[in-house]
Amino acid sequence: MKILAAATALILSATALGAQDTMKSQQAGFTVQTIAEGLSHPWALAFLPDGAMLVTERSGQMRLVSVDGKLGDPITGLPEILAGRQGGLLDVTLHPEFAQNRLVYFSFTEPGEGGNSTAAARGVLSPDGTSLSDVKTIFSQQPKIDNTAHYGSRIVFDGQGHVFITMGDRFEERYRTQAQELNSHLGKIVRLNEDGSVPPDNPFVNTEGALPEIWSLGHRNVQAAAINPETGTLWEIEHGPKGGDEINIVEPGKNYGWPVISYGVNYDGSPVGSGKSQQQGMQQPIHQWTPVIAPSGMIFYSGDAFPQWQGDLFAGGLATTTLVRVELEGNNYVSEERLLTNLGYRIRDVAQAPDGAIYVITDEDNGKILRLAP
């Protein structure tokens, strides 16, 4: 029996470590437990096979967090990271064969000539989870820009030997037009082989002057991405400006419009680009949010803990301070529900645990790991 969305929270109070709140959604009751706290603006969470977690902090630390929430010391072996404003240590994810090769992939703000840019690296995690070895940077966004905004970035494996890395347009108007230019990585999603080499079937490999890593273009700032398990296709959710956050199904070689078209406007209220939301040759989102949710982190839920939610998309909301549950029918948006509405936390990432529970991390000075379970 469905419960009115207005009755999302039944019991909400300030939670001590390990305490639980009981909440209800339209389709399922669940508890919210604080698993860990004391993290400095955590950015991403990845589960190890045994249920422990790797967590990144934007300030430059990666930590192993035990199943019971104990924070490990910062993992050693990371490259130089430029932390500041939106930059720092960003996404983390495991190679699909992590149990055999112990490979960990992560993205970060890389300093260099001309400023800084999004980069991605991989390394081998030690058996005790305290260090990375054989660390290699497999991708470095070009050009480098002297500001500290709009880095993306999520790292997603497609299960076919490739890895996607999402990026941002670096925010400033003088740079963001490069989202439409094939000789720049700004405002793009790239596809690489797992070792960082370029797949020969990438869409612009044979285009003169184009960077061969590019998979799609015309993106503003993609901080949420995942493979839809039903179709094997990459989906992303990107930040709009003032209005116009978008859910997009990403196809090779397609142009997603930024900054020519947008459902939002500039922060001063002026039109973006053409002032239009549609233009021939540019893709339309399957859904857009105005006002924005400020999306970061997403999953397609497939666990048994919440059978009612199987196939739903979950995304973090930074501006709305909610977890957004989206019901889908094939490739179509049907409806949504906002969860954790009264906690007031900026939700930076969402992950599905091995037992089917849903974990989120909060982007705060005293960042938390929260567990949603039946």
Side-chain angles (χ1 to χ4, degrees), residues 81-166:
I81 296 169
L82 179 69
R85 291 191 64 223
Q86 296 178 14
L89 183 56
L90 305 173
D91 202 16
V92 63
T93 191
L94 306 183
H95 187 278
E97 298 176 2
F98 173 83
Q100 288 75 45
N101 60 29
R102 305 283 296 177
L103 279 173
V104 172
Y105 287 65
F106 57 96
S107 61
F108 63 101
T109 304
E110 177 187 61
E113 185 176 354
N116 60 81
S117 68
T118 302
R122 70 177 191 178
V124 178
L125 184 67
S126 62
D128 62 2
T130 63
S131 65
L132 288 173
S133 61
D134 300 322
V135 174
K136 174 191 175 186
T137 298
I138 63 167
F139 174 77
S140 180
Q141 182 191 44
Q142 297 299 322
K144 283 184 160 45
I145 299 298
D146 189 17
N147 73 17
T148 52
H150 285 202
Y151 295 100
S153 67
R154 295 292 172 183
I155 303 171
V156 180
F157 290 93
D158 69 356
Q160 306 296 319
H162 309 114
V163 60
F164 294 102
I165 302 167
T166 73

Side-chain angles (χ1 to χ4, degrees), residues 161-181:
H162 309 114
V163 60
F164 294 102
I165 302 167
T166 73
M167 283 170 285
D169 66 346
R170 302 308 303 275
F171 182 69
E172 294 181 47
E173 193 163 358
R174 59 179 168 156
Y175 299 131
R176 69 187 189 184
T177 54
Q178 293 184 40
Q180 291 291 319
E181 299 170 6

Side-chain angles (χ1 to χ4, degrees), residues 31-282:
T31 62
V32 181
Q33 181 181 12
T34 302
I35 297 297
E37 58 185 347
L39 293 158
S40 174
H41 292 274
W43 213 94
L45 180 154
F47 278 97
L48 275 61
D50 63 0
M53 298 157 273
L54 286 177
V55 178
T56 58
E57 296 171 287
R58 198 176 66 220
S59 49
Q61 295 75 236
M62 183 186 300
R63 300 179 190 271
L64 183 68
V65 181
S66 67
V67 175
D68 61 2
K70 182 180 179 181
L71 302 185
D73 292 332
I75 292 171
T76 61
L78 273 66
E80 183 182 1
I81 296 169
L82 179 69
R85 291 191 64 223
Q86 296 178 14
L89 183 56
L90 305 173
D91 202 16
V92 63
T93 191
L94 306 183
H95 187 278
E97 298 176 2
F98 173 83
Q100 288 75 45
N101 60 29
R102 305 283 296 177
L103 279 173
V104 172
Y105 287 65
F106 57 96
S107 61
F108 63 101
T109 304
E110 177 187 61
E113 185 176 354
N116 60 81
S117 68
T118 302
R122 70 177 191 178
V124 178
L125 184 67
S126 62
D128 62 2
T130 63
S131 65
L132 288 173
S133 61
D134 300 322
V135 174
K136 174 191 175 186
T137 298
I138 63 167
F139 174 77
S140 180
Q141 182 191 44
Q142 297 299 322
K144 283 184 160 45
I145 299 298
D146 189 17
N147 73 17
T148 52
H150 285 202
Y151 295 100
S153 67
R154 295 292 172 183
I155 303 171
V156 180
F157 290 93
D158 69 356
Q160 306 296 319
H162 309 114
V163 60
F164 294 102
I165 302 167
T166 73
M167 283 170 285
D169 66 346
R170 302 308 303 275
F171 182 69
E172 294 181 47
E173 193 163 358
R174 59 179 168 156
Y175 299 131
R176 69 187 189 184
T177 54
Q178 293 184 40
Q180 291 291 319
E181 299 170 6
L182 293 176
N183 62 352
S184 167
H185 289 131
L186 305 191
K188 309 299 192 303
I189 294 175
V190 300
R191 185 180 75 146
L192 307 170
N193 294 318
E194 293 171 356
D195 63 358
S197 60
V198 177
D201 59 344
N202 269 8
F204 299 109
V205 163
N206 297 316
T207 301
E208 185 176 357
L211 296 173
E213 302 89 357
I214 295 173
W215 184 252
S216 60
L217 65 150
H219 301 285
R220 184 170 182 266
N221 191 22
V222 184
Q223 292 190 341
I227 297 292
N228 185 329
E230 295 296 317
T231 62
T233 306
L234 180 69
W235 288 40
E236 60 93 355
I237 312 178
E238 64 186 75
H239 291 263
K242 189 176 182 180
D245 288 350
E246 297 181 357
I247 305 177
N248 289 303
I249 300 173
V250 184
E251 299 180 75
K254 295 297 177 68
N255 185 340
Y256 291 82
W258 180 259
V260 179
I261 58 174
S262 174
Y263 281 90
V265 296
N266 290 313
Y267 293 114
D268 63 3
S270 62
V272 170
S274 66
K276 300 177 181 178
S277 58
Q278 299 184 41
Q279 182 167 306
Q280 187 174 1
M282 294 182 175

